[in-house]
Amino acid sequence: MPVARVLQKSALTLVLGVIAVMLLFPIVITFTNSLMTEKEININYGPIGQMKEASAGKANPYVNLKLLPDKVSLEQYGKVLLDNPKYLTMFWNSVLMVVPIISGQTVVAALAAYAFSKLRFRGRDPLFLIYVLTMLMPFQVTLVPNYIMADQLGILNSPNAIILPGIFAAFGVFMLRQFMLDIPYAYIEAAKIDGAGHLRIFIQIIIPMIKPGLAALIILLFVDYWNMVEQPLIFLDDPFKQPLSVFLSRINEGERGMAFAASMLYMAPMVMLFLYAESYFIEGVQLSGIKG
Amino acid sequence: MKMIMKNWLRKDISVAVMFLVPSGVGFAMFYLIPFIMGVIYSFMDNTIDGHFVGLDNYRELLASNSFRKAAYNTFYFTAVSVPLMLLLSLGLAILLNKSTYLRKWLRTAYVLPLVVPVASIILIWQMLFDWNGSLNAWLGSFGYARVDWMKTDAARIVVIVVYLWKNMGYNVILFLAGLQQIPKDYYETAQIEGAGRLRQFGNITLVYLTSTMFFVVIMSIINSFKVFRETYLIAGDYPHDSIYMMQHYMNNMFMSMDIQKLTAAATLMFGCILLIVLGMFALERRHRQFME
């Protein structure tokens, strides 16, 4: 390669690298700060939220944003995991909501997506448009009727009030349909000539072919529901039923000393799943966009 | 052969029903019916034994200052952040599509913010944007005055930055896929015919990215509603005026049990989203005809 090309390529890599570092900065900070002792955290971040007036006139203390801890310690992790039984309870609460939502929505949505992409029937496209429109609605739009519905079904203050709407959300249908549109009819017709019914075609041909789509859907759903905040605050009164996402958003105030470690532990399953399935995820996301 | 085809098609409707039932029942129960109920409530004076009051709720809603503020802010936020998002993620995708080193790593770095939990973002947010935060410390070292980021109009900028940071990577992947779909010889032909860089970009790149762009816009709108989570957790029910969104308004109406205003606001918001989506579908259809 000519020198000029190498230089150009390096310069571009440098620019993109700087942007990458900026984007990753919050994650790195969370990690390194999770290894600080509680004392160090309090010294560094004590000034957060202090009144302006209190420090007016005097030298105003700034937050001391530090990348590397003075002393590496696992104190925060110990506090979260050993001294705080609530943390594990809520972690488990989160798991018990997220797992049924993901598995339920994936199955239900795949079935519906097959009908929307590979079967022809009257009213198919208008019906699908309705699905897409609800997908674009913020959660608050159907808040009142949903609340009344949950009340009538007797699932208020139970995780089911969150799990059931989660399973039937339109996003999965939308996403998996995009993938199934890419599968040529020829495959299906060939299978039909061999005498396969629709259910067999669905299980044996369609499902294996949309694996990237399923992976992408699972990751996106995981990210979304692992982080949910509004639904539990409205549908669950009992603080012990709350998922970790709600708990963590409150830890910041009183217990800053272990907040970083708690964040790391909370982030870990998502980041690991993401890195494990990244190639699938990217392939999946890309395919979903091409057909538009 | 034709006979058999026809038979299959006729059978499609009954098969479609089977595939659609699981999703359809739940979707109707948790999305469609609640939505219709919400629209009906918006014309009633009470959810129980209410009377039809025509447009009274809407009149009251439009007269309310906090609604107007929320509607304006939501519109403003979407109108600024979605185009900005398109611009930045397309720009990054174009750079990333050129030859660089470490491309796979850079891509991972761009997407990773998506999986960072809300709660961790909030910690960092406080560290950076507090009155005593690092951003002010940094500005101070250049001699600028402190800004109270979350309690002035600057809060808008902060929310837009967080939105861009979190969702850009996802769109970069989508655009990257779109770019890789464009045949390279189009550009070569254009070059031979003497088209400049800018003409090539306008007449080839943008034209072929239209359907990707369509998808990115839809996803960006959905994700722009999700910033509410972060905003809500950092600033509570009543944040600074400049970031008081429709979701805040609807949440607060729910808490004060003002169902009439809430459902009327939800219906109006739905109407706006419907117009946007139909407009985009129409644009896309015209584009498709143009391409053919």
Side-chain angles (χ1 to χ4, degrees), chain B residues 55-190:
Chain B
L55 292 174
D56 279 9
N57 295 331
Y58 289 88
R59 222 166 279 140
E60 223 175 290
L61 179 75
L62 291 174
S64 139
N65 275 332
S66 49
F67 169 77
R68 292 216 297 252
K69 189 170 67 187
Y72 172 78
N73 284 336
T74 308
F75 181 77
Y76 180 95
F77 177 74
T78 314
V80 171
S81 65
V82 173
L84 205 59
M85 173 68 96
L86 279 178
L87 221 65
L88 287 176
S89 45
L90 181 59
L92 264 184
I94 288 173
L95 289 181
L96 209 55
N97 199 33
K98 295 200 161 124
S99 79
T100 63
Y101 298 104
L102 306 169
R103 186 195 292 183
K104 198 172 163 289
W105 289 96
L106 290 168
R107 207 177 53 184
T108 306
Y110 293 159
V111 195
L112 216 48
L114 188 70
V115 298
V116 176
V118 177
S120 325
I121 298 169
I122 283 157
L123 271 175
I124 311 289
W125 190 326
Q126 286 177 331
M127 284 154 59
L128 292 177
F129 298 111
D130 191 77
W131 175 250
N132 299 320
S134 301
L135 190 59
N136 275 341
W138 191 67
L139 286 176
S141 68
F142 287 101
Y144 290 102
R146 284 185 192 208
V147 179
D148 200 350
W149 293 99
M150 292 315 293
K151 294 191 185 84
T152 54
D153 282 355
R156 246 183 215 144
I157 302 170
V158 177
V159 176
I160 290 175
V161 167
V162 171
Y163 165 74
L164 291 173
W165 170 74
K166 186 152 188 181
N167 297 297
M168 205 161 56
Y170 184 78
N171 294 336
V172 168
I173 297 184
L174 287 169
F175 275 133
L176 215 47
L179 286 171
Q180 280 158 6
Q181 290 279 307
I182 306 174
K184 285 235 162 61
D185 38 321
Y186 287 6
Y187 291 105
E188 279 156 22
T189 316

Side-chain angles (χ1 to χ4, degrees), chain A residues 137 140-145, chain B residues 34-45 47 53-64 67 71 246 249-250 253-254 258-272:
Chain A
M137 270 340 105
Q140 283 79 6
V141 168
T142 50
L143 187 52
V144 175
Chain B
F35 174 70
I36 295 169
M37 277 160 71
V39 174
I40 295 173
Y41 289 155
S42 75
F43 295 104
M44 310 264 259
D45 60 0
T47 47
V53 291
L55 292 174
D56 279 9
N57 295 331
Y58 289 88
R59 222 166 279 140
E60 223 175 290
L61 179 75
L62 291 174
S64 139
F67 169 77
M246 280 296 276
Y249 179 76
M250 292 196 263
M253 287 301 109
F254 181 77
D258 194 337
I259 305 305
Q260 284 70 42
K261 280 210 190 98
L262 170 55
T263 51
T267 309
L268 276 183
M269 189 164 183
F270 171 79
C272 291

Side-chain angles (χ1 to χ4, degrees), chain A:
Chain A
M1 232 191 303
V3 180
R5 280 282 295 279
V6 173
L7 273 177
Q8 202 188 4
K9 203 171 161 181
S10 310
L12 190 60
T13 308
L14 187 70
V15 171
L16 291 170
V18 169
I19 299 173
V21 168
M22 275 160 56
L23 291 173
L24 286 181
F25 170 77
I27 305 173
V28 175
I29 279 280
T30 311
F31 173 67
T32 57
N33 281 263
S34 75
L35 297 171
M36 286 179 186
T37 58
E38 189 176 354
K39 206 171 128 211
E40 196 181 346
I41 293 281
N42 283 334
I43 294 172
N44 288 344
Y45 305 120
I48 288 180
Q50 269 178 21
M51 299 294 286
K52 283 189 244 183
E53 293 79 15
S55 48
K58 280 178 268 172
N60 216 325
Y62 283 117
V63 161
N64 183 15
L65 189 68
K66 262 170 71 179
L67 194 56
L68 295 176
D70 288 340
K71 193 182 110 208
V72 173
S73 113
L74 292 176
E75 186 190 320
Q76 286 188 53
Y77 288 93
K79 267 194 111 158
V80 174
L81 293 173
L82 303 177
D83 305 346
N84 232 311
K86 235 168 70 187
Y87 186 89
L88 289 177
T89 313
M90 286 171 161
F91 192 94
W92 188 234
N93 285 349
S94 282
V95 172
L96 284 184
M97 282 186 240
V98 169
V99 170
I101 290 177
I102 294 178
S103 33
Q105 189 180 138
T106 312
V107 173
V108 169
L111 287 167
Y114 182 73
F116 279 127
S117 62
K118 289 285 169 264
L119 299 174
R120 301 188 185 93
F121 56 94
R122 190 173 289 173
R124 181 181 75 172
D125 292 344
L127 189 60
F128 182 68
L129 184 67
I130 295 175
Y131 267 71
V132 173
L133 282 172
T134 64
M135 188 179 83
L136 287 166
M137 270 340 105
F139 158 75
Q140 283 79 6
V141 168
T142 50
L143 187 52
V144 175
N146 261 335
Y147 192 84
I148 296 173
M149 185 72 89
D151 192 25
Q152 299 222 315
L153 292 172
I155 52 174
L156 264 189
N157 204 20
S158 126
N160 284 335
I162 293 160
I163 294 171
L164 288 173
I167 288 177
F168 298 108
F171 184 69
V173 181
F174 172 74
M175 189 147 179
L176 294 181
R177 175 181 168 270
Q178 296 292 116
F179 286 91
M180 293 186 192
L181 286 177
D182 281 342
I183 301 174
Y185 271 103
Y187 284 93
I188 293 169
E189 269 147 32
K192 273 179 182 165
I193 289 166
D194 290 344
H198 279 287
L199 197 63
R200 259 197 59 201
I201 295 175
F202 175 72
I203 294 171
Q204 293 188 344
I205 297 177
I206 303 287
I207 293 296
M209 290 185 81
I210 57 159
K211 269 190 191 147
L214 292 172
L217 177 66
I218 288 171
I219 292 182
L220 287 176
L221 288 180
F222 190 32
V223 169
D224 201 22
Y225 286 100
W226 192 249
N227 271 321
M228 67 187 156
V229 172
E230 304 106 304
Q231 297 98 316
L233 281 179
I234 287 190
F235 289 116
L236 302 174
D237 286 335
D238 188 342
F240 284 96
K241 287 182 183 165
Q242 299 286 352
L244 197 58
S245 39
V246 171
F247 171 70
L248 262 196
S249 58
R250 291 188 173 142
I251 204 176
N252 301 334
E253 292 141 24
E255 297 159 290
R256 202 174 284 136
M258 56 182 211
F260 291 96
S263 278
M264 279 313 291
L265 289 170
Y266 178 67
M267 198 185 322
M270 259 191 296
V271 173
M272 279 183 326
L273 176 74
F274 176 76
L275 293 178
Y276 171 73
E278 194 200 348
S279 54
Y280 272 127
F281 175 74
I282 288 182
E283 192 186 343
V285 169
Q286 288 181 337
L287 282 174
S288 69
I290 290 170
K291 274 257 166 165

Side-chain angles (χ1 to χ4, degrees), chain B residues 195-213:
Chain B
R197 278 263 168 104
L198 207 64
R199 286 260 326 256
Q200 287 180 29
F201 178 74
N203 291 353
I204 302 175
T205 313
L206 282 186
V207 170
Y208 281 88
L209 280 181
T210 308
S211 62
T212 309
M213 200 103 65

